[in-house]
Protein backbone atom coordinates (compact mmCIF):
# COMPACT_ATOMS: atom_id res chain seq x y z
CA UNK A 1 0.00 0.00 0.00
CA UNK A 2 2.90 2.36 0.64
CA UNK A 3 3.95 2.36 -2.99
CA UNK A 4 0.39 3.24 -4.04
CA UNK A 5 0.40 6.22 -1.68
CA UNK A 6 3.81 7.34 -2.98
CA UNK A 7 2.60 7.01 -6.55
CA UNK A 8 -0.52 9.02 -5.73
CA UNK A 9 1.54 11.81 -4.14
CA UNK A 10 3.90 11.84 -7.11
CA UNK A 11 0.97 12.13 -9.54
CA UNK A 12 -0.55 14.99 -7.54
CA UNK A 13 2.81 16.78 -7.50
CA UNK A 14 3.23 16.25 -11.24
CA UNK A 15 -0.30 17.48 -11.94
CA UNK A 16 0.34 20.61 -9.88
CA UNK A 17 3.51 21.37 -11.79
CA UNK A 18 1.81 20.80 -15.13
CA UNK A 19 -1.09 23.08 -14.18
CA UNK A 20 1.33 25.75 -13.01
CA UNK A 21 3.31 25.49 -16.23
CA UNK A 22 0.14 25.66 -18.31
CA UNK A 23 -1.12 28.76 -16.51
CA UNK A 24 2.31 30.31 -16.81
CA UNK A 25 2.31 29.66 -20.54
CA UNK A 26 -1.21 31.06 -20.97
CA UNK A 27 -0.58 34.25 -19.02
CA UNK A 28 3.11 34.64 -19.78
CA UNK A 29 4.13 34.43 -16.12
CA UNK A 30 7.77 34.48 -15.13
CA UNK A 31 8.52 31.36 -13.04
CA UNK A 32 10.24 31.33 -9.67
CA UNK A 33 14.01 31.19 -9.57
CA UNK A 34 15.55 27.79 -10.14
CA UNK A 35 17.72 26.31 -7.41
CA UNK A 36 20.64 26.20 -9.81
CA UNK A 37 21.24 28.75 -12.56
CA UNK A 38 24.21 29.98 -14.51
CA UNK A 39 25.16 33.63 -14.38
CA UNK A 40 23.90 34.12 -17.93
CA UNK A 41 20.56 32.48 -17.11
CA UNK A 42 20.15 34.77 -14.11
CA UNK A 43 20.91 37.84 -16.22
CA UNK A 44 18.24 36.76 -18.71
CA UNK A 45 15.80 36.18 -15.84
CA UNK A 46 16.32 39.70 -14.50
CA UNK A 47 16.14 41.08 -18.05
CA UNK A 48 12.70 39.52 -18.54
CA UNK A 49 11.41 40.96 -15.26
CA UNK A 50 12.59 44.44 -16.21
CA UNK A 51 11.00 44.09 -19.63
CA UNK A 52 7.64 43.12 -18.12
CA UNK A 53 7.84 46.02 -15.65
CA UNK A 54 8.07 48.47 -18.52
CA UNK A 55 11.77 49.27 -18.71
CA UNK A 56 12.91 50.44 -22.14
CA UNK A 57 16.12 50.32 -24.19
CA UNK A 58 17.16 47.08 -22.49
CA UNK A 59 20.58 45.76 -23.43
CA UNK A 60 22.65 42.85 -22.17
CA UNK A 61 26.32 43.80 -22.09
CA UNK A 62 27.95 40.38 -21.81
CA UNK A 63 28.79 40.19 -25.50
CA UNK A 64 30.83 43.39 -25.45
CA UNK A 65 32.49 43.18 -22.02
CA UNK A 66 30.34 44.35 -19.16
CA UNK A 67 32.71 46.60 -17.13
CA UNK A 68 30.84 45.62 -13.98
CA UNK A 69 27.35 45.99 -15.51
CA UNK A 70 25.21 43.20 -16.99
CA UNK A 71 22.04 45.01 -18.10
CA UNK A 72 21.43 48.57 -19.23
CA UNK A 73 17.88 49.90 -19.15
CA UNK A 74 15.86 53.07 -18.80
CA UNK A 75 12.59 53.94 -17.15
CA UNK A 76 10.86 57.28 -17.70
CA UNK A 77 14.05 59.09 -18.54
CA UNK A 78 16.23 57.56 -15.80
CA UNK A 79 18.96 55.20 -17.01
CA UNK A 80 19.82 52.21 -14.82
CA UNK A 81 22.91 50.01 -14.87
CA UNK A 82 22.22 46.55 -13.38
CA UNK A 83 24.81 44.17 -11.97
CA UNK A 84 23.39 40.62 -11.57
CA UNK A 85 24.85 38.21 -9.01
CA UNK A 86 23.53 34.67 -8.65
CA UNK A 87 25.28 33.48 -5.48
CA UNK A 88 25.04 30.78 -2.86
CA UNK A 89 26.08 33.22 -0.13
CA UNK A 90 25.53 36.92 0.70
CA UNK A 91 26.93 39.38 -1.83
CA UNK A 92 29.91 41.43 -0.66
CA UNK A 93 31.37 44.85 -1.35
CA UNK A 94 33.07 43.89 -4.63
CA UNK A 95 29.71 43.75 -6.43
CA UNK A 96 28.87 47.23 -5.16
CA UNK A 97 32.19 48.55 -6.39
CA UNK A 98 31.74 46.89 -9.78
CA UNK A 99 28.23 48.27 -10.24
CA UNK A 100 29.27 51.77 -9.21
CA UNK A 101 32.31 51.85 -11.51
CA UNK A 102 30.33 50.28 -14.37
CA UNK A 103 27.60 52.88 -14.02
CA UNK A 104 30.26 55.58 -14.21
CA UNK A 105 31.83 53.95 -17.25
CA UNK A 106 28.55 53.85 -19.18
CA UNK A 107 27.63 57.31 -17.89
CA UNK A 108 24.28 56.08 -16.56
CA UNK A 109 22.22 57.62 -13.78
CA UNK A 110 21.69 54.83 -11.23
CA UNK A 111 23.58 51.65 -10.33
CA UNK A 112 21.61 48.60 -9.18
CA UNK A 113 22.89 45.26 -7.84
CA UNK A 114 20.44 42.36 -8.13
CA UNK A 115 20.92 39.01 -6.40
CA UNK A 116 19.04 35.89 -5.40
CA UNK A 117 20.70 36.15 -1.99
CA UNK A 118 21.16 38.90 0.60
CA UNK A 119 23.99 41.40 1.05
CA UNK A 120 26.64 41.60 3.72
CA UNK A 121 26.51 44.39 6.27
CA UNK A 122 29.55 45.99 4.64
CA UNK A 123 27.87 45.84 1.22
CA UNK A 124 24.77 47.58 2.56
CA UNK A 125 26.93 50.31 4.09
CA UNK A 126 28.97 50.86 0.93
CA UNK A 127 25.84 50.91 -1.24
CA UNK A 128 24.23 53.50 1.00
CA UNK A 129 27.30 55.73 0.90
CA UNK A 130 27.58 55.51 -2.88
CA UNK A 131 23.89 55.63 -3.78
CA UNK A 132 23.79 52.11 -5.22
CA UNK A 133 20.34 50.50 -5.25
CA UNK A 134 20.12 46.94 -3.92
CA UNK A 135 17.68 44.20 -4.88
CA UNK A 136 18.06 41.16 -2.65
CA UNK A 137 16.25 37.86 -3.22
CA UNK A 138 13.12 39.07 -1.45
CA UNK A 139 12.99 42.27 -3.50
CA UNK A 140 13.56 40.32 -6.72
CA UNK A 141 10.69 37.97 -5.86
CA UNK A 142 8.46 41.00 -5.25
CA UNK A 143 9.39 42.44 -8.64
CA UNK A 144 8.70 39.09 -10.31
CA UNK A 145 5.22 39.01 -8.77
CA UNK A 146 4.59 42.59 -9.88
CA UNK A 147 5.72 41.75 -13.41
CA UNK A 148 3.35 38.77 -13.49
CA UNK A 149 0.46 40.85 -12.18
CA UNK A 150 1.03 43.36 -14.95
CA UNK A 151 1.09 40.56 -17.52
CA UNK A 152 -2.19 39.16 -16.21
CA UNK A 153 -3.93 42.51 -15.89
CA UNK A 154 -2.88 43.94 -19.23
CA UNK A 155 -3.84 40.73 -21.01
CA UNK A 156 -7.50 41.47 -20.37
CA UNK A 157 -7.38 45.25 -20.83
CA UNK A 158 -6.77 46.38 -24.38
CA UNK A 159 -8.32 49.85 -24.30
CA UNK A 160 -6.44 53.06 -24.99
CA UNK A 161 -6.63 54.34 -21.42
CA UNK A 162 -4.60 53.13 -18.46
CA UNK A 163 -5.99 49.84 -17.06
CA UNK A 164 -6.25 51.33 -13.55
CA UNK A 165 -8.05 54.48 -14.69
CA UNK A 166 -11.56 53.28 -13.80
CA UNK A 167 -10.32 51.94 -10.47
CA UNK A 168 -8.71 55.26 -9.58
CA UNK A 169 -11.89 57.13 -10.48
CA UNK A 170 -14.00 54.88 -8.26
CA UNK A 171 -11.81 55.23 -5.17
CA UNK A 172 -11.48 59.00 -5.64
CA UNK A 173 -15.25 59.40 -5.88
CA UNK A 174 -15.77 57.23 -2.80
CA UNK A 175 -12.82 58.79 -0.93
CA UNK A 176 -11.78 55.33 0.27
CA UNK A 177 -10.71 51.98 -1.17
CA UNK A 178 -11.78 48.47 -0.23
CA UNK A 179 -12.37 45.04 -1.70
CA UNK A 180 -16.14 45.44 -1.45
CA UNK A 181 -16.06 48.81 -3.22
CA UNK A 182 -14.13 47.54 -6.24
CA UNK A 183 -16.19 44.37 -6.44
CA UNK A 184 -19.53 46.19 -6.26
CA UNK A 185 -18.61 49.07 -8.57
CA UNK A 186 -16.49 47.29 -11.18
CA UNK A 187 -17.26 43.58 -10.68
CA UNK A 188 -13.55 42.77 -10.49
CA UNK A 189 -12.91 39.21 -9.23
CA UNK A 190 -11.87 39.18 -5.59
CA UNK A 191 -8.72 37.22 -6.42
CA UNK A 192 -7.50 40.12 -8.56
CA UNK A 193 -8.63 42.86 -6.21
CA UNK A 194 -5.95 41.83 -3.69
CA UNK A 195 -3.27 42.35 -6.34
CA UNK A 196 -4.70 45.70 -7.37
CA UNK A 197 -4.88 47.04 -3.82
CA UNK A 198 -1.32 45.85 -3.19
CA UNK A 199 -0.21 47.83 -6.24
CA UNK A 200 -2.02 50.95 -5.09
CA UNK A 201 -0.50 50.65 -1.62
CA UNK A 202 2.98 50.03 -3.07
CA UNK A 203 2.80 53.31 -5.00
CA UNK A 204 1.40 55.28 -2.03
CA UNK A 205 -1.97 55.82 -3.69
CA UNK A 206 -3.86 54.24 -0.79
CA UNK A 207 -3.00 53.42 2.80
CA UNK A 208 -2.72 49.98 4.32
CA UNK A 209 -5.96 48.31 5.33
CA UNK A 210 -7.51 49.28 8.67
CA UNK A 211 -9.46 47.01 11.02
CA UNK A 212 -12.61 47.54 8.95
CA UNK A 213 -10.97 46.65 5.64
CA UNK A 214 -10.91 50.27 4.45
CA UNK A 215 -8.00 52.20 2.97
CA UNK A 216 -7.45 55.93 2.89
CA UNK A 217 -6.97 57.49 -0.57
CA UNK A 218 -3.94 59.78 -0.94
CA UNK A 219 -4.62 61.19 -4.42
CA UNK A 220 -7.11 63.78 -5.62
CA UNK A 221 -7.15 63.05 -9.36
CA UNK A 222 -6.84 60.15 -11.77
CA UNK A 223 -3.91 61.84 -13.50
CA UNK A 224 -2.01 62.03 -10.22
CA UNK A 225 -2.58 58.33 -9.63
CA UNK A 226 -1.44 57.35 -13.12
CA UNK A 227 1.76 59.37 -12.69
CA UNK A 228 2.52 57.47 -9.49
CA UNK A 229 1.77 54.12 -11.14
CA UNK A 230 4.10 54.89 -14.01
CA UNK A 231 7.08 55.89 -11.91
CA UNK A 232 10.01 53.52 -11.62
CA UNK A 233 9.21 50.43 -9.49
CA UNK A 234 12.69 50.69 -7.97
Amino acid sequence: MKWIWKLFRWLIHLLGRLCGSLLGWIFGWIPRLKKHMTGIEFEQYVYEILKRLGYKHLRLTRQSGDYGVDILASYRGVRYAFQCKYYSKPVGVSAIQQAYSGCEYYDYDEAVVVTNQTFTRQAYALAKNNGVILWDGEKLALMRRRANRHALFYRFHHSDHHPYEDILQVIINANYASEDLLYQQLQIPLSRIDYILDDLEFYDIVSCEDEYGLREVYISSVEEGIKLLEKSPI
Side-chain angles (χ1 to χ4, degrees), residues 50-64:
L50 296 176
K51 181 180 177 182
R52 300 288 183 86
L53 287 171
Y55 284 78
K56 305 297 183 183
H57 310 297
L58 285 146
R59 179 160 69 93
L60 290 163
T61 64
R62 61 175 179 262
Q63 294 179 346
S64 58

Side-chain angles (χ1 to χ4, degrees), residues 3-179:
W3 71 269
I4 296 178
W5 173 243
K6 288 182 179 180
L7 178 62
F8 177 75
R9 290 180 61 185
W10 179 81
L11 289 173
I12 292 296
H13 177 71
L14 179 61
L15 181 62
R17 294 192 63 177
L18 288 173
C19 289
S21 298
L22 178 61
L23 288 173
W25 178 78
I26 292 172
F27 296 117
W29 288 342
I30 301 171
R32 293 181 180 180
L33 274 173
K34 298 177 183 177
K35 289 185 178 180
H36 302 287
M37 299 179 77
T38 66
I40 291 177
E41 286 175 334
F42 186 60
E43 290 170 19
Q44 191 63 51
Y45 185 85
V46 175
Y47 180 99
E48 190 62 32
I49 289 175
L50 296 176
K51 181 180 177 182
R52 300 288 183 86
L53 287 171
Y55 284 78
K56 305 297 183 183
H57 310 297
L58 285 146
R59 179 160 69 93
L60 290 163
T61 64
R62 61 175 179 262
Q63 294 179 346
S64 58
D66 58 30
Y67 296 98
V69 169
D70 299 309
I71 303 171
L72 298 172
S74 63
Y75 195 98
R76 295 185 63 81
V78 180
R79 298 174 303 165
Y80 296 92
F82 290 85
Q83 167 74 280
C84 304
K85 293 293 185 183
Y86 188 84
Y87 277 12
S88 59
K89 60 183 180 180
V91 177
V93 296
S94 62
I96 312 302
Q97 294 167 339
Q98 291 170 14
Y100 182 81
S101 61
C103 185
E104 291 286 310
Y105 174 83
Y106 286 104
D107 194 25
Y108 266 49
D109 304 311
E110 300 284 353
V112 188
V113 181
V114 186
T115 183
N116 60 309
Q117 283 287 330
T118 58
F119 295 91
T120 64
R121 182 168 51 85
Q122 294 86 350
Y124 276 115
L126 184 61
K128 183 178 180 180
N129 290 337
N130 289 276
V132 176
I133 300 167
L134 301 181
W135 286 18
D136 60 11
E138 185 176 342
K139 173 80 170 184
L140 181 61
L142 171 64
M143 291 305 179
R144 180 190 68 85
R145 291 194 296 271
R146 290 187 58 77
N148 285 341
R149 290 174 195 171
H150 287 187
L152 176 62
F153 199 82
Y154 278 90
R155 189 177 183 89
F156 297 104
H157 290 76
H158 301 290
S159 58
D160 293 332
H161 67 280
H162 193 281
Y164 277 27
E165 187 172 323
D166 293 339
I167 295 167
L168 295 174
Q169 190 63 65
V170 166
I171 65 174
I172 289 170
N173 291 342
N175 202 29
Y176 74 92
S178 71
E179 290 184 1

